[in-house]
Structures are given as C-alpha cells and as structure tokens.
Amino acid sequence: MTDQPRPSSTTPEAPELFTWEFASDPYPAYAWLREHAPVRWTRLPSGVEAWLVTRYADARQALADNRLSKNPAHHDEPAHAKGKTGIPGERKAELMTHLLNIDPPDHTRLRRLVSKAFTPRRVAEFAPRVQELADGLIDAFAGRGTADLIHEFAFPLPIYAICDMLGVPREDQDDFRDWAGMMIRHGKGPRGGVARSVQKMRGYLADLIHRKRQALPPEPTPGEDLISGLIRASDHGEHLTEKEAAAMAFILLFAGFETTVNLIGNGTYALLTHPEQRDRLQASLVRQETDLLETAVEELLRYDGPVEMATWRFATRPLTIGGQEIAPGDPVLVVLAAADRDPERFTDPDVLDLGRRDNQHLGYGHGIHYCLGAPLARLEGRTALATLFSRLPDLQLDAEPGDLRWRGGLIMRGLRTLPVRFTPRPHARTKADKES
C-alpha cells in the first residue's frame, strides 16, 4: 500500500474530515485538499482506506481511466472490508451485477441493452407525469403554509416517478417509498434496516419481473414500462437474465431517486439562501422563459450537487494520478464536490451563478460510467424547482441554516429536512385544473 503524502513543515494543518461540521460544509476542507494534498490516502469512517482525488483535471482523468475498475473483486482488502464499499445488502441480495459494479465488456453489453429501454424520448414522454406528481405533492401542503420539502416533496417525487417509469403498480409504490426511506437514513433507522430493505426490494423486483415476463406481449406497446423494456431488450439475440434485470431495476431505482432527492433539496436550499439568484430565476419563470432554468439546474449540480463522491473504483494496474502513484488494489474515490469547485477550472467557483455557461461539471460523472438516468434527473429537477417557486413565490426557509442537518453518507450529499414557510394557498389549482 502506498504511503500517504506527508505535508511539509510549512503546510497548514489538515482539516478533519467526516465530522458533523464537515458534513454541513465540506467545501473549505476540499479547498485545502486541492491545494495541499490533491490525491490523499485517507481512512474513511467505515475503517476502509482510499485515495481521495479532489482536483478537476485529475478527477476527469480518473473517471475515464480503464485501469480503475468498478468491480469490487479488485479491492486489495480482506473479504470483510469489501462489503463496506458498496450499497449495504446488495451482495447478500445478489444485486451486484449492475452498471456501478462491472467493467467492459459486461458493462458495455448491459449498458447497451438498458439504453434501449431508457431513451431520451421515453424521458421526454414522461414529462407530463412528472409535472402531475409535482403539482399533486404541492397541493397536499399548499394550504398549510409550512412544509418539510424533503419528506413532502423532494423525496416522494422521484420515488413515485421512477416507480411509474419502471412499471411498479400504484398500489405497491408506498412500499417502495418505505424501503427507499430506510435506505437513505444512513444509520438513523434500526440496525440492519438498510440491508433488510434491499432484501425486500430484491424479492419484490424478482417477482415483478417474473410476472411481467409471463405476461409480456409479442410486440412493445406505446408507453411500455421500463422493466418490460429491460425484459424485452436484446443485443444480437442476447437477453438480460432475470438476475441481471433485477439488479438493473434495483440500481435504476436506487440511483434514480436519491440523486434527485438531493438535487431538489440542495438546489432549493441554495436558492433560498441566495435571494438574488432566486429572484433572478423567479423573474424568468414569470416571463415563461426556459434558458435560465436549464442553466440553473446545471449550476446547482455544480455548486452543491447531489453526489459528493463518485462510486468506488479499484486500481487494477499501477497508475499515477496528480503525481501520486496508485498501487494495484487501492480504492480510489473521486470527490466530485471538490472537483466542481476547482478554481483552475471554474471562474469564481464558490459563487452561485445560475446563468453560468462554461459549466462542464462532473455532477453526473464522466466517461463510460456517466449517469444513465441524468436526463430523467434533470427533467425532475427542472420541473420541481419551476413548479415550487412559481406556485409558492414567497417561499422562505423556516429554520436557521446552521440548525439544518445533512445526511452523513459517503457518496451522496443531502439534507435530512428542509423546513419552509409560505403564504397558505388553500385553493391553489394545478395547470390541468385551470385548463379544464
């Protein structure tokens, strides 16, 4: 194992990582790392050690380097540690064969198959349903004048959206909401609750895939759900196995909801704490313009994105990143949150500028593992923010920023709660109501 680079006697003392204070605002610590130890060997809260990569140029290199494998089998640690580098319970539930854990050629095959069932056209056709969900959720609390936007809006919207897209029957979707809620509590629920929720989700998906396969019509129907598309997908006659389909449905659900919860939550919080930018966005929405909304979502992804670190990578051969030698078997975590605030890449990186044009952020990754669900997440983010700030124009934070708590996970970054207040609108109607 390569030794951690040692700071010189003139280097300021390294900040403490992974504390509650760090979770609330990790950006000063990441600025220190970018300047003094851009590729740093670090012990994580789980006890696993890994390289943290914090500069933008190094991050792009690492995300696209085929010497860094996604397969946990390459982790040079005892078997018991390997369970700490992925989603709790996925190994036991036999859900490892998804896009976040495999390399080419299997990754190429599975991504090509899944892409056929998860196209931009399918996402665009889904826009009215996302709008309906956003309006319905706001209707439920608009008359109160207060809400917790995480639990009442940012969390349920992507859960119900991805369930609809996957083809989970409406009567079963509240179960998915419960399981998903347990999966993002990161230790705040009962011991072993995450693994149990993963197991329940795995059992349900296996049964649903089997039932859909039995009832699958010979030809696709308009608006066919994603699980049916996964079952039907083939490449040169090669189909997904039921185990592969279950793993793919699981990761699309898991990755497809938590990232969007945090995009909506972090984005709303950033707008509420930057009133000039919020006013700028609301004025453009009143004028029914879309350009600023689109660049705003990209800037919110860069400024305080939903994914703090890219998922695990493991060196398969010796390589050098940022002048640091990485040994085979070493885990590497690319810190997207640090890279997207790198002053070597972004002008005034700590400034929120919704109109920022030069914004090739890494919020959804880079290279062959670029997030497959990014178009859906962007659609949900645009719809959620536009609907929220249009329908509740005097929305205000109902807590001191310092009193808010952030979930202490490693990969994702998001608020536990986001209390807000606004003028009650008991008779608020949706766009569909107004047009009827």
Side-chain angles (χ1 to χ4, degrees), residues 45-58:
S46 65
V48 175
E49 294 178 301
W51 294 102
L52 300 185
V53 179
T54 53
R55 288 180 180 168
Y56 182 90
D58 297 336

Side-chain angles (χ1 to χ4, degrees), residues 51 68 90 125 135-136 203 205 208 211-212 230 279 287 303 308 337 344 347 351 358 369 382 388 418 420:
W51 294 102
L68 290 174
E90 67 174 355
E125 291 172 346
D135 277 319
L205 287 172
L208 182 63
R211 286 187 280 121
K212 284 184 178 289
L230 290 175
D279 291 346
R287 295 191 297 268
Y303 180 78
E308 190 163 355
E344 292 295 316
T347 303
V351 173
D358 181 16
H369 291 282
R382 290 194 302 267
L388 193 64
L418 184 56
V420 295

